[in-house]
Amino acid sequence: ACFRLLCSLLLPALFLSGILCICLVVLLWGVRLWLQRKKQLSSAGRDGKRPLLVAFFHPYCNAGGGGERVLWCAIRTLQKKYRNVTCVVYTGDKDATGEEIVEGAFRRFNIKLIHPVKFVFLEKRFLVEASLYPHFTLLGQSLGSVFLGWEALLKCVPDIYIDSMGYAFTIPLFKYLGGCRVGCYVHYPTISTDMLSVVRNQDTRFNNAAFITSSPLFSKFKLVYYYFFAFMYGLVGSCSDVVMVNSSWTLNHILSLWRAGACTSVVYPPCDVQTFLDIPLEVEKSTSEYSIVSVSQFRPEKDHPLQIRAFAKLLKEKRVGQEPSLKLILIGGCRNQQDEERVNKLKCLCEELGVSDDVIFRINIPFEELKRHLAEATIGLHTMWNEHFGIGVVECMAAGTVILAHNSGGPKLDIVVPHEGRVTGFLAEDEDGYAETMAYIFSLSPEKRLEIRENARRSVHRFSDQHFEETFLLSVEPLFK
């Protein structure tokens, strides 16, 4: 009797599920055909041929960071190589016109585009704002990006779609509904195997609050959530026809999560090394003051407290009366009130450690002043754990400082590596390591430091605009076949 009851309930349920699945497939197929028809009806070029539309999904294209430099270099590269291509940028920067955005790219990055760019302005960018999702932020932003991607697809159906900002959940949308060839440039995996290990080991970090690490139940729940999200992230990422990553560190994570090795390649971001290579390199003259310069936004992951504590330790262990004196100059951008509060806390830390007179904060300074500080500095300091690449590290090396970066991520795997068998800089992990390495660098002769600086300069040519253009074109070539 029980079996008959189960069958009588199960069979209709299976039948209904099958009907619903068929209806969903038909609906999605209908949407795809409608979008394809919409694409075919779009305007033809002057020669009667419809130009190939290459769309970049970059909701914050006017932000002026390293990711935006990649975007504009990529567009300029395609315009140089392909004649019958129109580049489209999906953006949420409604407070600026297309002309202002292009002018901003030229002013900030010295990148002049060859042809005009079509901008598609999106209304729902707020859906990908982290502040909208105080909890389950990764999942919230990813689902938000699907809705934002749908708005983009309705406004313009491209032939080739490239996600250049890390919104992997938009990729299946454009591939299966838009019928596009799809690619992406990954600056930083949305979730990484390191993030999973931080939660698994119950480590307290800026993205893993103390109330979670102190509770085994919360930690297990967050771990399950992270594993589920990592699975979904791997699923959507594997839909890409072409995957470009910005460093070996990002490559390792993307390969383990997306398992798309055949179409994945490293394309280093274009760094404006030439601007810094113009700084003359010579043996340091005897000076009464040496400076250590840090260049990074005042964000929690950059770990400025580690820099201050290591510097305080260096000063403490320095023999009394020993010349020259040392200064730590923290250069960075403040985006909002939270960043300003962070700077105030760092100033309080300096007072606690008794180094207020020796630490200088330079906030939102013009580029020429940044260049001058780097030209005068002896050491370039960088302390972020698992920095995915490290454009600031490259700039310090190009400017002629002796770099001291964190022994992890991009700096360890790609940047601060021997060049032709010679030392290009140094790596450290903790307060003691940084203090000892800074002391060692200052103990070297000016001639030995010059040798390291010259090696570093020669090594950074592989991060130039020209090298980016060559590797980018090689990577995206399958999308144009």
Side-chain angles (χ1 to χ4, degrees), residues 404 427-438:
L404 172 55
L427 299 166
E429 288 182 27
D430 54 20
E431 191 181 310
D432 290 341
Y434 273 97
E436 284 165 19
T437 311
M438 283 190 280

Side-chain angles (χ1 to χ4, degrees), residues 25-268:
V25 168
V26 170
L27 178 66
L28 291 174
W29 188 252
V31 170
R32 181 186 164 106
L33 289 175
W34 173 65
L35 288 169
Q36 293 303 301
R37 179 80 179 138
K38 196 175 176 181
K39 180 162 67 175
Q40 286 163 4
L41 293 171
S42 59
S43 58
R46 288 175 194 168
D47 57 358
K49 288 183 185 173
R50 196 181 71 82
L52 196 69
L53 284 183
V54 181
F56 290 84
F57 191 73
H58 209 105
Y60 297 87
C61 75
N62 204 29
E68 287 66 58
R69 192 166 208 285
V70 171
L71 170 72
W72 302 118
C73 271
I75 289 173
R76 183 180 62 184
T77 303
L78 292 181
Q79 289 181 343
K80 277 186 197 174
K81 167 83 174 176
Y82 297 101
R83 288 175 68 91
N84 193 37
V85 157
T86 296
C87 289
V88 177
V89 178
Y90 297 117
T91 179
D93 292 301
K94 297 181 294 176
D95 55 344
T97 64
E99 291 78 15
E100 286 168 346
I101 294 171
V102 170
E103 173 57 35
F106 177 63
R107 192 176 63 252
R108 290 185 189 114
F109 308 121
N110 199 29
I111 295 171
K112 194 156 186 66
L113 302 179
I114 300 159
H115 305 296
V117 170
K118 181 183 173 186
F119 288 93
V120 174
F121 291 95
L122 306 174
E123 301 292 324
K124 297 182 178 65
R125 189 176 72 179
F126 67 90
L127 291 173
V128 295
E129 296 276 356
S131 57
L132 193 64
Y133 312 99
H135 306 293
F136 301 99
T137 313
L138 294 179
L139 192 61
Q141 284 183 292
S142 299
L143 292 174
S145 73
V146 175
F147 287 102
L148 191 63
W150 176 244
E151 183 193 344
L153 191 56
L154 287 179
K155 287 184 173 178
C156 174
V157 185
D159 299 289
I160 294 170
Y161 170 78
I162 298 174
D163 164 42
S164 52
M165 224 187 142
Y167 293 108
F169 282 74
T170 62
I171 292 168
L173 193 68
F174 280 82
K175 182 169 185 172
Y176 298 115
L177 288 185
C180 313
R181 281 158 277 169
V182 295
C184 58
Y185 187 95
V186 184
H187 297 273
Y188 199 89
T190 305
I191 191 165
S192 66
T193 48
D194 289 326
M195 286 165 71
L196 291 169
S197 66
V198 162
V199 179
R200 195 184 306 113
N201 300 333
Q202 292 182 245
D203 292 342
T204 303
R205 288 190 184 266
F206 72 93
N207 59 353
N208 197 35
F211 81 88
I212 289 174
T213 58
S214 60
S215 165
L217 181 67
F218 281 159
S219 287
K220 281 186 174 63
F221 180 76
K222 186 167 182 177
L223 193 61
V224 169
Y225 160 55
Y226 267 21
Y227 271 114
F228 167 73
F229 185 83
F231 171 74
M232 294 300 294
Y233 183 59
L235 215 58
V236 296
S238 63
C239 299
S240 301
D241 300 312
V242 163
V243 181
M244 294 166 279
V245 296
N246 67 341
S247 69
S248 302
W249 181 85
T250 306
L251 175 72
N252 294 336
H253 287 285
I254 289 299
L255 288 180
S256 69
L257 290 163
W258 291 12
R259 306 189 188 282
C263 61
T264 306
S265 56
V266 177
V267 178
Y268 291 129

